[in-house]
Amino acid sequence: MWETTGSVAATLAVLAAHAWLPRGVFWAAAAACAAAAWWLCASGMTRRQKVAIATWLPQQDSHTLTSTTVDLTRVLAFISEYRKRTGDHLTLTHMLGKAVAMALRRCPGLCGRIVCGRFVPRNDIDVCFLVDMGSQNLGYCTVREADKKSLHQVCTALQGGSNSVRNGTESDFSMFMWIADILPTFLLRPVMQLVGFISVGLSVDCAALHIRRQLMGTCIISNLGQYGIDQAYVPFPSFAGVPLMLVIGAIKNTPVVCESGVIEARPTCTVTTTLDHRFVDGHQASLVYKYVMHFATSPEDLLEAEDRALMAAS
């Protein structure tokens, strides 16, 4: 809130200076500021480092961390069968995104945003997937209305969005990265807070500034298991305004006590969550957990009519 207020105040100060200062003095001061900003930008930091420094504020009080180990025996078998029948490259990330979206649909109290200290419900459930762009950079792709999409549509949307982000053809994300490249971190932070205020607080599309409403959706999902990481807890981006983040760990064989009481080595992974306690209490968190675990044991329940038709046509 204070970051946003500061960015607005800085903008008003620049406008006032332009109006009242002599033109030569104003442009000389602007040139000096630009030179200082250029010097700070040429510090050898990667884009990801700059965005990280400008994103995270000091630790807040509302974060709750949880983790659970998921038996993936049925999920992996389902993914293999789905790929064979449809040709879609379905992954655990797609499955978890769809499962969480359907769980959030059953828990409307989690679908909202906080504006001026007041909870405001959201009508849509959008899931944001973090995208590895290589070269130490990170992007994101938000799948809109993920709870209403079929697995096929989620795969298509995520693949298309990820390719656009990596190729630089996603205009909104490219504009954001351009800003991150040219601004020093002390200016980048208030700009990012202002973007969050417009996108989340006001929940409006601003085409002139390449800002979309709810830019990172209702929850964020990251797959760190692809790098061999078993378990990790991640902080909220301060400008995103999401109540829930999930991280998928590496898949590995671990001893599991089966329903019959026999111990078997089965494929499992750890899913960690970061919850904003302003949105989520213990009861709501348990409901999301139960729904997601249900889909782990009965993955076919994620299928929509389109998915069933594609699988039947094979």
Side-chain angles (χ1 to χ4, degrees):
M1 180 65 183
W2 293 112
E3 294 280 351
T4 302
T5 304
S7 63
V8 173
T11 303
L12 294 177
V14 171
L15 294 176
H18 185 268
W20 293 103
L21 287 177
R23 180 171 298 180
V25 175
F26 173 81
W27 286 114
C33 291
W38 176 85
W39 180 80
L40 289 168
C41 284
S43 57
M45 289 189 296
T46 65
R47 182 190 299 158
R48 178 183 289 187
Q49 288 174 322
K50 291 177 62 180
V51 172
I53 293 172
T55 296
W56 284 291
L57 302 172
Q59 185 177 5
Q60 303 298 310
D61 298 329
S62 62
H63 295 178
T64 302
L65 308 176
T66 68
S67 68
T68 185
T69 300
V70 183
D71 184 348
L72 299 177
T73 303
R74 296 182 181 178
V75 173
L76 295 181
F78 174 83
I79 290 175
S80 178
E81 184 67 18
Y82 186 91
R83 289 180 177 180
K84 290 179 182 178
R85 293 197 177 191
T86 66
D88 290 335
H89 188 67
L90 183 68
T91 67
L92 180 59
T93 303
H94 300 117
M95 296 278 291
L96 182 62
K98 173 66 174 176
V100 171
M102 294 182 69
L104 290 176
R105 184 171 63 189
R106 293 168 170 82
C107 302
L110 301 182
C111 302
R113 64 189 195 279
I114 295 177
V115 182
C116 297
R118 181 179 180 183
F119 178 83
V120 179
R122 286 175 174 167
N123 296 322
D124 301 327
I125 299 175
D126 308 325
V127 178
C128 176
F129 298 88
L130 298 187
V131 179
D132 183 5
M133 299 175 60
S135 301
Q136 298 183 345
N137 286 319
L138 188 67
Y140 66 90
C141 172
T142 301
V143 177
R144 304 293 176 179
E145 298 184 328
D147 60 313
K148 300 178 182 178
K149 283 183 166 59
S150 63
L151 288 174
H152 170 72
Q153 291 172 327
V154 171
C155 289
T156 303
L158 183 53
Q159 180 178 359
S162 300
N163 291 338
S164 296
V165 168
R166 293 191 179 105
N167 297 334
T169 56
E170 172 56 60
S171 59
D172 297 336
F173 185 77
S174 298
M175 174 64 72
F176 180 79
M177 289 296 97
W178 177 77
I179 293 174
D181 284 336
I182 66 171
L183 290 182
T185 54
F186 77 93
L187 291 178
L188 185 57
R189 172 174 289 183
V191 169
M192 293 172 66
Q193 296 301 316
L194 180 59
V195 169
F197 176 72
I198 295 173
S199 172
V200 181
L202 300 180
S203 189
V204 296
D205 292 314
C206 184
L209 299 178
H210 293 267
I211 299 175
R212 294 184 182 179
R213 67 178 184 86
Q214 311 297 330
L215 75 167
M216 300 193 83
T218 311
C219 72
I220 300 175
I221 294 179
S222 176
N223 186 350
L224 294 181
Q226 60 184 320
Y227 308 114
I229 298 175
D230 293 335
Q231 181 175 329
Y233 297 94
V234 295
F236 287 111
S238 57
F239 59 90
V242 297
L244 177 65
M245 291 187 66
L246 298 98
V247 177
I248 305 172
I251 299 175
K252 59 181 181 180
N253 288 328
T254 56
V256 175
V257 180
C258 305
E259 293 82 358
S260 60
V262 177
I263 298 177
E264 295 182 358
R266 291 190 174 184
T268 64
C269 77
T270 299
V271 177
T272 60
T273 59
T274 304
L275 307 170
D276 188 336
H277 202 26
R278 297 175 302 169
F279 294 85
V280 187
D281 58 23
H283 174 68
Q284 293 171 317
S286 68
L287 291 178
V288 174
Y289 170 79
K290 290 177 181 178
Y291 286 129
V292 173
M293 292 303 292
H294 167 75
F295 294 126
T297 56
S298 302
E300 62 278 359
D301 289 348
L302 292 175
L303 294 173
E304 302 286 353
E306 180 181 14
D307 297 316
R308 299 183 188 278
L310 287 173
M311 296 184 71
S314 61

